[in-house]
């Protein structure tokens, strides 16, 4: 097996993960029926599945970007940074694909001398104004 893909429910994570500096989102992107318990269970699932993976390449896919180069819109998602980046370092996740922002971006996160994650974002060509 060359690669394992891990798909996350981005709206669940962004709307309901606990983060001290940011209240849960209350907007059209959030589904009211989804709760914090499910978001925390998803993070536990991701940690467990990344730990079990024997694939040399681990790729995580999520709707929301961790960092955003868009000039208009939401900007960076500190909540996702605080939850996902430590897992990416811990489990050597090589790539993270996201959408949401209607632009094309590539960023490289150097966790340390031996661990790096490549972040790719694409909003499929719609206009975002960024």
């Amino acid at each position: 097996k060359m690669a394992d893909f891990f798909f996350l429910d981005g709206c669940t994570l962004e709307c309901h993960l606990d983060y001290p500096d940011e209240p849960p989102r209350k907007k059209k992107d959030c589904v009211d029926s989804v709760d914090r318990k499910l978001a925390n269970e998803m993070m536990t699932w991701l940690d467990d599945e990344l730990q079990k993976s024997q694939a040399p390449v681990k790729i995580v896919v999520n709707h929301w970007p961790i960092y955003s180069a868009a000039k208009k819109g939401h900007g960076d998602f500190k909540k996702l940074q605080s939850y996902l980046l430590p897992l990416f370092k811990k489990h050597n996740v090589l790539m993270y694909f996201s959408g949401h922002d209607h632009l094309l971006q590539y960023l490289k996160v150097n966790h340390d001398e031996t661990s790096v994650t490549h972040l790719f974002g694409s909003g499929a060509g719609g206009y975002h104004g960024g």
Side-chain angles (χ1 to χ4, degrees), residues 6-68:
F6 305 88
F7 288 80
L8 302 175
D9 178 354
C11 288
T12 299
L13 292 180
E14 178 52 28
C15 294
H16 299 287
L17 278 176
D18 293 321
Y19 187 70
D21 297 335
E22 205 174 283
R25 287 181 182 259
K26 296 292 181 198
K27 55 185 241 177
K28 65 179 180 177
D29 296 320
C30 296
V31 179
D32 291 335
S33 63
V34 180
D35 61 16
R36 288 187 177 158
K37 182 177 182 233
L38 182 57
N40 290 316
E41 287 172 355
M42 191 183 320
M43 292 308 303
T44 299
W45 169 84
L46 180 61
D47 191 21
D48 291 346
E49 292 301 312
L50 288 169
Q51 182 66 41
K52 288 189 257 181
S53 174
Q54 298 298 310
V57 175
K58 296 173 186 142
I59 301 166
V60 175
V61 181
N62 185 22
H63 175 79
W64 303 95
I66 294 174
Y67 296 103
S68 174

Side-chain angles (χ1 to χ4, degrees), residues 98-116:
S98 66
H100 190 71
D101 283 349
H102 294 243
L103 50 72
L104 181 63
Q105 66 181 7
Y106 164 73
L107 302 163
K108 181 178 174 184
V109 175
N110 293 306
H111 302 291
D112 56 36
E113 300 81 34
T114 60
S115 179
V116 63

